Amino acid sequence: MPHVHDRQRRVVVTGAAGGIGSVVVDRLGGRWQLTPTDVRASGGIGLLDVTDLDGCRAAFSGADAVVHLGANADPDAGWSGLRSPNVDGAYCVAVAARECGISRLVVASSLHAVSAYPDTVQHRTGDSPRPANLYGATKAWAEALGAWVAASSSTSVVALRIGYFSPTPPSGADASPRNMAAWLSPADCAELIRAAVEAEVTGMTVVNGLSSNRHLIAELGDAEQLIGYHPT
């Protein structure tokens, strides 16, 4: 996106009360002029229902970047739980960002968008979406909306195929080889989103989001080279 001094960069975050949103607010709140929003307003977080197109337009007006995290993050959710936040909400955010002339739209996609590929093959950012569940299909929809925005406007889009986000590495029943290889730590998550907002890229960029795990379910080269993401 065009160069903006970090402390002057106006960034709106949707889903700011969620797990990843809280990390963004805590770790990046002092870096930018941050406007955190969520469907549940609380101390310092403004009210925004991402399915309200007019509300999105009002919230995004005058911003440099939008980080769209607001969604149902349950991979086992059904259509009734996914349609409003993940389908309608992603559409409203994309339309509002495009109409408001936002320089950078960051979309939280997921490795679930490519989860039907065999685990024996490392996922690459050039892989076309192939979801194994309906949640992953909604993330493929979010990526498609991002591609439309980037192709039809001056807004550049970075889609993050986020892995297994958790404060600590997977343990117990969650410590499957897939989850261990897809873990994204809070510190790396904040660095990933910082890089996605500030990177000097144009058009549509898709990168994988995970920490530098011993075994990687997805490659990190594009994230490092294209947006300057350097996980620990």
Side-chain angles (χ1 to χ4, degrees), residues 18-113:
I20 293 178
S22 298
V23 167
V24 173
V25 172
D26 291 345
R27 295 176 180 257
L28 298 173
R31 185 178 184 87
W32 307 318
Q33 292 184 27
L34 200 66
T35 301
T37 69
D38 198 277
V39 70
R40 303 179 306 277
S42 58
I45 297 178
L47 178 65
L48 177 62
D49 181 345
V50 293
T51 66
D52 177 357
L53 180 55
D54 287 337
C56 288
R57 290 182 178 119
F60 300 168
S61 178
D64 296 302
V66 172
V67 178
H68 178 43
L69 304 173
N72 183 341
D74 180 3
D76 297 319
W79 179 245
S80 62
L82 292 168
R83 179 177 178 178
S84 179
N86 293 31
V87 178
D88 297 339
Y91 168 78
C92 290
V93 167
V95 169
R98 182 177 181 272
E99 291 182 354
C100 290
I102 300 300
S103 293
R104 172 66 43 78
L105 173 61
V106 177
V107 176
S109 183
S110 169
L111 285 178
H112 280 281

Side-chain angles (χ1 to χ4, degrees), residues 110-119 123 129-133 136-137 178 217:
S110 169
L111 285 178
H112 280 281
V114 291
S115 57
Y117 287 100
D119 288 345
H123 303 327
R130 187 181 293 179
N133 53 30
R178 173 188 282 256
I217 196 171

Side-chain angles (χ1 to χ4, degrees), residues 8-227:
Q8 296 176 341
R9 198 184 307 266
R10 295 161 295 175
V11 181
V12 178
V13 179
T14 71
I20 293 178
S22 298
V23 167
V24 173
V25 172
D26 291 345
R27 295 176 180 257
L28 298 173
R31 185 178 184 87
W32 307 318
Q33 292 184 27
L34 200 66
T35 301
T37 69
D38 198 277
V39 70
R40 303 179 306 277
S42 58
I45 297 178
L47 178 65
L48 177 62
D49 181 345
V50 293
T51 66
D52 177 357
L53 180 55
D54 287 337
C56 288
R57 290 182 178 119
F60 300 168
S61 178
D64 296 302
V66 172
V67 178
H68 178 43
L69 304 173
N72 183 341
D74 180 3
D76 297 319
W79 179 245
S80 62
L82 292 168
R83 179 177 178 178
S84 179
N86 293 31
V87 178
D88 297 339
Y91 168 78
C92 290
V93 167
V95 169
R98 182 177 181 272
E99 291 182 354
C100 290
I102 300 300
S103 293
R104 172 66 43 78
L105 173 61
V106 177
V107 176
S109 183
S110 169
L111 285 178
H112 280 281
V114 291
S115 57
Y117 287 100
D119 288 345
T120 54
V121 178
Q122 192 178 59
H123 303 327
R124 300 190 177 278
T125 56
D127 293 340
S128 299
R130 187 181 293 179
N133 53 30
L134 194 56
Y135 169 75
T138 68
K139 290 305 182 179
W141 162 246
E143 289 187 16
L145 287 170
W148 164 66
V149 170
S152 62
S153 73
S154 61
T155 299
S156 58
V157 179
V158 178
L160 307 174
R161 288 180 176 170
I162 295 172
Y164 184 93
F165 172 77
S166 176
T168 57
S171 61
D174 292 330
S176 65
R178 173 188 282 256
N179 288 345
M180 294 292 288
W183 181 53
L184 176 65
S185 72
D188 286 337
C189 184
E191 167 60 14
L192 176 70
I193 292 175
R194 180 212 61 77
V197 168
E198 298 178 2
E200 297 290 337
V201 292
T202 60
M204 174 72 174
T205 304
V206 178
V207 298
N208 295 319
L210 55 164
S211 292
S212 185
N213 305 309
R214 181 176 180 182
H215 301 289
L216 294 173
I217 196 171
E219 59 84 26
L220 282 174
D222 283 348
E224 294 172 341
Q225 295 172 16
L226 296 178
I227 67 170

